């Protein structure tokens, strides 16, 4: 493994040379506080950015083992650390300006869902962030000194700030992990109670806007309250006893007038195949993980799908047992969507 001095020496040697000389830095470097692996070096300042990994040993990171003791907890902890690393990048971004179209520094920026992520990997031995970096240049000439500052100062500082327990809000991290664990517990418990979905009392279902998945302000939104006849309770591992509406398996029809929340409820349910972050409002909204939203997609392409259960006769005697079209109608596209969902193993369809 190379050292920090080796990396600095290479960057000083290629300073002012053509951009392709950056390929000389590809490799693995022990910087003392962390290990930096440069896996891919971009060929041009306007090409997709270079791909790197920074690894901190658990001896240094000291992330409490209980936060990643199970697959669900591990996914939530890695999700939290990805968000932490993204925030740390934001703090350094202004001081590390680059050229071209690539971001100076970037990592997967999660939305409201807690998902398993390849951007962060953690186990008993290490914590590793995987990110991109736009190597600095003036035109197509290497700025080696700026790259040295980025790789030998900024990246280790990012790792220190975002991946080491002493610099993290471990209370918030624990809550992130526990909320995810509770949602997964709820989802697994649905079948045994004969339920397809659960919507917790107090849930905030409306979103901020049509283009935002963030919750509507809590002072504006009406918290969800279950009809008495559908109310059920669950004992969760971390939050304890919770109450809400249990939607039974079978056919459930949601009806009501305009602005009564039918679409809002359906949208919340379709997104709740995923676990959500604290303060999202949907932390106690879960649904069978195989659920699929079905809708008409006029003009979509369909290839070899058996839609015969819905449509058996087409003009000119066209077969529907292996239906194909580059421009399906609304009804045929909806039939294809249903059949594809069933073939993929879905046991719950949401039709809006």
């Amino acid at each position: 493994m190379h050292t920090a001095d080796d990396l600095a020496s290479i960057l000083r040697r290629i300073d002012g040379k053509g951009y392709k000389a950056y390929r000389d830095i590809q490799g693995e470097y022990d910087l003392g506080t962390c290990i930096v692996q440069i896996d891919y070096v971009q060929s041009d300042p306007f090409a997709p950015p270079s791909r790197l990994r920074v690894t901190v040993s658990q001896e240094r990171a000291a992330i409490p083992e209980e936060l990643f003791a199970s697959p669900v907890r591990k996914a939530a902890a890695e999700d939290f650390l990805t968000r932490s690393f993204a925030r740390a990048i934001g703090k350094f971004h202004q001081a590390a300006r680059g050229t071209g179209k690539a971001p100076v520094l970037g990592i997967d920026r999660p939305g409201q869902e807690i998902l398993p992520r390849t951007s962060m990997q953690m186990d008993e031995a290490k914590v590793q962030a995987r990110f991109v970096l736009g190597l600095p240049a003036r035109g197509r000439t290497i700025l080696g000194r700026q790259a040295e500052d980025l790789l030998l100062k900024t990246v280790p500082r990012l790792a220190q700030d975002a991946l080491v327990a002493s610099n993290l809000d471990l209370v918030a991290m624990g809550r992130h992990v526990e909320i995810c664990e509770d949602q997964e517990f709820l989802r697994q418990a649905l079948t045994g109670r004969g339920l397809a979905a659960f919507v917790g009392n107090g849930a905030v279902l409306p979103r901020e806007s049509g283009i935002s998945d963030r919750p509507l302000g809590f002072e504006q939104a009406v918290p969800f309250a279950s009809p008495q006849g559908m109310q059920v309770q669950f004992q969760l591992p971390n939050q304890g006893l919770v109450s809400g509406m249990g939607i039974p398996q079978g056919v459930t029809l949601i009806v009501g007038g305009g602005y009564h929340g039918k679409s809002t409820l359906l949208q919340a349910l379709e997104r709740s195949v995923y676990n959500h972050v604290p303060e999202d409002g949907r932390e106690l909204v879960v649904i069978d993980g195989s659920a699929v939203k079905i809708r008409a997609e006029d003009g979509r392409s369909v290839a070899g799908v058996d839609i015969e259960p819905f449509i058996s006769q087409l003009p000119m005697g066209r077969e529907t047992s292996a239906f194909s079209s580059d421009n399906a109608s609304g009804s045929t596209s909806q039939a294809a969507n249903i059949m594809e969902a069933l073939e993929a193993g879905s046991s719950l369809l949401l039709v809006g």
Side-chain angles (χ1 to χ4, degrees):
M1 187 183 300
H2 302 295
T3 66
D5 289 341
D6 295 332
L7 180 56
S9 177
I10 296 170
L11 289 169
R12 291 169 188 172
R13 172 173 57 80
I14 64 176
D15 186 30
K17 292 188 176 182
Y19 202 87
K20 291 186 184 300
Y22 262 134
R23 291 176 180 171
D24 292 354
I25 68 172
Q26 191 164 314
E28 188 174 9
Y29 301 88
D30 187 345
L31 305 189
T33 59
C34 62
I35 294 172
V36 170
Q37 293 160 278
I38 304 171
D39 296 316
Y40 164 79
V41 176
Q42 63 201 96
S43 59
D44 183 275
F46 295 91
S50 303
R51 296 193 293 269
L52 291 83
R53 288 177 282 167
V54 61
T55 304
V56 178
S57 69
Q58 276 290 11
E59 184 178 1
R60 184 177 185 83
I63 304 295
E65 191 171 347
E66 64 267 19
L67 293 179
F68 58 95
S70 68
V72 172
R73 283 179 161 251
K74 181 173 181 290
E78 290 170 347
D79 181 275
F80 182 90
L81 291 177
T82 295
R83 296 169 194 272
S84 173
F85 203 87
R87 285 192 298 271
I89 284 175
K91 294 177 182 178
F92 284 99
H93 197 72
Q94 295 302 317
R97 294 175 305 204
T99 61
K101 297 180 180 178
V104 172
L105 286 160
I107 195 169
D108 179 29
R109 288 189 174 272
Q112 296 296 103
E113 295 83 18
I114 300 175
L115 299 170
R117 302 189 183 279
T118 57
S119 53
M120 193 70 60
Q121 297 292 301
M122 178 168 56
D123 55 32
E124 295 82 1
K126 67 182 185 303
V127 183
Q128 183 181 89
R130 301 170 178 187
F131 62 102
V132 295
L133 185 151
L135 292 167
R138 182 178 292 110
R140 285 180 169 79
T141 299
I142 288 173
L143 295 176
R145 297 288 180 172
Q146 288 189 20
E148 184 179 344
D149 190 65
L150 273 171
L151 291 167
L152 295 178
K153 294 181 181 179
T154 300
V155 169
R157 180 68 183 277
L158 286 173
Q160 177 71 21
D161 288 355
L163 306 180
V164 175
S166 59
N167 294 317
L168 295 171
D169 184 344
L170 292 181
V171 173
M173 188 174 183
R175 185 160 180 260
H176 197 88
V177 168
E178 289 177 354
I179 279 178
C180 182
E181 185 175 50
D182 281 349
Q183 288 174 75
E184 198 59 37
F185 178 90
L186 258 176
R187 188 173 291 107
Q188 298 304 319
L190 290 174
T191 302
R193 299 281 292 272
L195 299 176
F198 174 83
V199 184
N201 288 333
V204 175
L205 307 184
R207 298 296 92 187
E208 193 173 55
S209 72
I211 58 172
S212 172
D213 199 36
R214 295 175 62 83
L216 185 66
F218 286 86
E219 68 283 352
Q220 298 173 271
V222 177
F224 182 84
S226 171
Q228 195 60 40
M230 298 182 72
Q231 184 151 286
V232 296
Q233 293 183 325
F234 284 92
Q235 184 74 31
L236 303 185
N238 301 296
Q239 296 179 64
L241 189 66
V242 297
S243 302
M245 180 177 71
I247 300 178
Q249 295 173 345
V251 178
T252 297
L253 182 63
I254 302 171
V255 297
Y259 288 90
H260 278 61
K262 302 183 301 298
S263 297
T264 299
L265 175 59
L266 186 62
Q267 288 165 5
L269 290 171
E270 70 181 76
R271 298 299 297 176
S272 291
V273 293
Y274 307 116
N275 298 324
H276 290 95
V277 298
E279 309 302 330
D280 173 80
R282 297 170 293 186
E283 303 96 311
L284 289 178
V285 183
V286 297
I287 195 168
D288 184 312
S290 71
V292 175
K293 169 69 178 296
I294 301 296
R295 64 184 181 90
E297 294 180 276
D298 198 9
R300 68 153 283 193
S301 174
V302 177
V305 178
D306 181 6
I307 60 171
E308 198 167 27
F310 299 97
I311 302 170
S312 59
Q313 293 181 345
L314 288 177
M316 296 177 288
R318 289 183 61 187
E319 288 288 331
T320 57
S321 58
F323 177 77
S324 297
S325 173
D326 292 329
N327 186 25
S329 68
S331 58
T332 52
S333 68
Q334 192 166 25
N337 285 340
I338 293 172
M339 296 308 296
E340 287 169 340
L342 296 177
E343 288 175 8
S346 174
S347 58
L348 179 58
L349 304 179
L350 304 172
V351 183

